[in-house]
Amino acid sequence: MSGALAAGRRDMDFFGVAVIAFVTALGGGTIRDVVLGNYPIGWTQHPEYVYLVILAGLATTLIARFMHHMKRVFLMLDALGLVAFSLIGCNVALQLDYPPVVVIMAGMLTGISGGVLRDVLCNQVPVVFCRELYASVSLFVCVLFLVLRGLDWDSDLITLVCFGAGFAFRMLALRFAWKLPTFSYQQRWD
Amino acid sequence: MSGALAAGRRDMDFFGVAVIAFVTALGGGTIRDVVLGNYPIGWTQHPEYVYLVILAGLATTLIARFMHHMKRVFLMLDALGLVAFSLIGCNVALQLDYPPVVVIMAGMLTGISGGVLRDVLCNQVPVVFCRELYASVSLFVCVLFLVLRGLDWDSDLITLVCFGAGFAFRMLALRFAWKLPTFSYQQRWD
Amino acid sequence: MSGALAAGRRDMDFFGVAVIAFVTALGGGTIRDVVLGNYPIGWTQHPEYVYLVILAGLATTLIARFMHHMKRVFLMLDALGLVAFSLIGCNVALQLDYPPVVVIMAGMLTGISGGVLRDVLCNQVPVVFCRELYASVSLFVCVLFLVLRGLDWDSDLITLVCFGAGFAFRMLALRFAWKLPTFSYQQRWD
């Protein structure tokens, strides 16, 4: 849905909307699978995901004018998606026996690189690198997941705790506009 | 050739022209092979393609000033390339036994993502998402290919019909400036 | 380090700095491994590289204000890195028995595509396509490497000669502002 809105800001046609929606939703998992060598890539085995994502993107164009009033709901769904994608990414890397730092990076790749691709295709600086804590939430969830797993917690409980903590973290970051300090460097060398 | 012209619009050096030409021509197939896990990737086994593409890119810089007069020829060659790339993409995915929706996406990836990469590297919003029917032609060709194949037509006949119909569709779209409706969304949330 | 500075020019937060540093340093090798089908990808087996790169990126934000005075040292380190990455890329492709043109492209992919990814994520036209000889140095090193190898030189000697010649070439290009001719094409067709 955020992909469809970004496409709309660039006056793309409905084809572009479908492509950007697809890339935003499934691009993160694709990059993760390609980097980890995890073939065949998830959505190629589950065509229903492809239809679902494209439908959601096109449906967004119909309800876009009302979405302003549902901003809160939209951001909550987006936060849940971020946590879910991060956990899925961690699990995929774990099953392939990668070391912890790669597990964390796989989680973050799945969680945020769809949004990065969306912004690159829409020709803007990726917002996840400049705005409220978004990538940081993904990092937090992935580290929490690994720590609890190291403590031998039950896996359902881990999922529950990660969802709760990650969701709360993101909502608080949005509510109080938490940001990381930025690094500004304007000297040019030429 | 369209890659070389796009590089020229950004005042790139001849090295940049060669790289953008390469990415435009072979990038689509590379992305398709990476996503489908189809190793080794085509052009790594056919070095002659690499030379051909780089030569075509550099030759374009020599004839660029005259290309305005050959616009029609150039667009016809471009349309044929679009159909050919789409069909090749479908065939590769079919041979790897992917489901139909992935076959269609493989065809479209091969047909249009070279142009998308070109526009990303030249720092502009990809034209295939905003202009005349281009991606739609690729989609049409891929679906037509699968339908005719389902009807058990002879494979040479399928290729011929797809080329004819795809080429005619693209030419008509250019002639009458057919466009998909665009989705415009200018509200900002912050 | 160049990734961190580029992120600073876009006012990214510290997370963005770490990501851009990572992509600039390890992105070239990742793309090479993905294109060559060389799994598992290097840095996933050497987590220490990941920590090192992120630390270097963040350290750069601390010393950025003094880097102007160390410009010469920075550019020398950057040139050494360019040669080293190009040679590593060539070696990887050689071990996988790819033909010579692919070996050269693997070397160049490793040497320059990290910088290209950096510029794409920071939303600017990649400087390696417009400025002083940079990609050309990578090409020169890769070709020299293959030629000396064809002459059956000792592999340590080849490495030494490539480093010396590549470094000297880059320094001379910077000193005398050598550039390739650019191709400028401003006609629009619509």
Side-chain angles (χ1 to χ4, degrees), chain A residues 34 108 123 129 183-184 189, chain C residues 11-13 15 39 71 123:
Chain A
V34 166
M108 292 178 55
N123 200 17
F129 301 153
F183 166 52
S184 188
W189 289 11
Chain C
D11 296 322
M12 289 191 184
D13 62 31
F15 204 96
Y39 288 101
K71 186 178 163 180
N123 200 18

Side-chain angles (χ1 to χ4, degrees), chain B:
Chain B
M1 292 170 85
S2 72
L5 295 183
R9 290 203 183 90
R10 294 287 173 172
D11 296 323
M12 290 192 184
D13 62 31
F14 283 100
F15 204 95
V17 170
V19 171
I20 304 290
F22 177 81
V23 164
T24 308
L26 301 179
T30 304
I31 292 182
R32 176 204 63 217
D33 285 346
V34 166
V35 167
L36 299 182
N38 180 36
Y39 288 102
I41 287 174
W43 58 264
T44 63
Q45 307 302 302
H46 297 279
E48 64 275 16
Y49 290 179
V50 179
Y51 298 122
L52 180 67
V53 161
I54 292 174
L55 275 180
L58 295 178
T60 304
T61 65
L62 297 178
I63 59 168
R65 68 179 62 195
F66 314 110
M67 284 189 69
H68 200 67
H69 309 294
M70 305 189 297
K71 186 180 163 182
R72 193 177 295 259
V73 176
F74 173 78
L75 288 174
M76 285 166 77
L77 287 174
D78 191 63
L80 289 176
L82 174 63
V83 178
F85 275 44
S86 302
L87 289 177
I88 293 171
C90 288
N91 272 308
V92 169
L94 264 182
Q95 275 160 26
L96 296 169
D97 284 324
Y98 278 102
V101 70
V102 178
V103 172
I104 291 173
M105 298 200 69
M108 293 178 54
L109 266 179
T110 315
I112 70 173
S113 59
V116 173
L117 277 179
R118 175 197 64 209
D119 293 342
V120 166
L121 288 180
C122 293
N123 199 20
Q124 55 190 32
V125 175
V127 293
V128 299
F129 300 154
C130 319
R131 293 276 201 77
E132 302 96 356
L133 303 178
Y134 192 87
S136 312
V137 172
S138 180
L139 174 61
F140 166 73
V141 167
C142 295
V143 171
L144 182 63
F145 171 81
L146 275 189
V147 167
L148 297 183
R149 222 175 148 280
L151 297 173
D152 265 331
W153 284 32
D154 173 73
S155 78
D156 288 347
L157 188 61
I158 295 179
T159 305
L160 204 72
V161 170
C162 284
F163 260 98
F167 183 73
F169 187 12
R170 170 78 178 140
M171 287 295 118
L172 288 170
L174 280 173
R175 176 72 186 74
F176 299 105
W178 286 343
K179 288 188 176 196
L180 285 178
T182 61
F183 167 51
S184 188
Y185 181 77
Q186 299 306 339
Q187 264 175 322
R188 298 196 62 85
W189 289 12
D190 28 34

Side-chain angles (χ1 to χ4, degrees), chain A residues 102-158:
Chain A
V102 179
V103 171
I104 291 173
M105 298 201 67
M108 292 178 55
L109 265 180
T110 316
I112 69 174
S113 60
V116 172
L117 277 180
R118 176 197 63 209
D119 293 341
V120 166
L121 288 180
C122 293
N123 200 17
Q124 53 190 32
V125 175
V127 293
V128 298
F129 301 153
C130 319
R131 294 275 201 77
E132 303 95 355
L133 303 177
Y134 192 86
S136 312
V137 173
S138 180
L139 174 61
F140 167 74
V141 167
C142 296
V143 171
L144 182 63
F145 170 81
L146 275 189
V147 168
L148 296 184
R149 222 176 148 277
L151 297 175
D152 264 330
W153 284 31
D154 173 73
S155 78
D156 288 346
L157 189 61
I158 295 178

Side-chain angles (χ1 to χ4, degrees), chain C residues 85-156:
Chain C
F85 274 45
S86 301
L87 289 177
I88 293 171
C90 287
N91 272 309
V92 169
L94 265 183
Q95 273 158 27
L96 296 168
D97 284 324
Y98 278 102
V101 69
V102 179
V103 172
I104 291 173
M105 298 201 68
M108 292 178 55
L109 265 179
T110 315
I112 70 174
S113 60
V116 172
L117 276 179
R118 175 196 63 208
D119 293 341
V120 165
L121 288 180
C122 293
N123 200 18
Q124 55 190 32
V125 175
V127 293
V128 299
F129 300 153
C130 319
R131 293 277 201 78
E132 303 96 355
L133 303 178
Y134 192 85
S136 311
V137 172
S138 180
L139 174 62
F140 167 73
V141 167
C142 295
V143 171
L144 181 64
F145 170 81
L146 275 189
V147 168
L148 296 183
R149 222 175 148 278
L151 298 174
D152 264 330
W153 284 32
D154 173 73
S155 78
D156 288 346

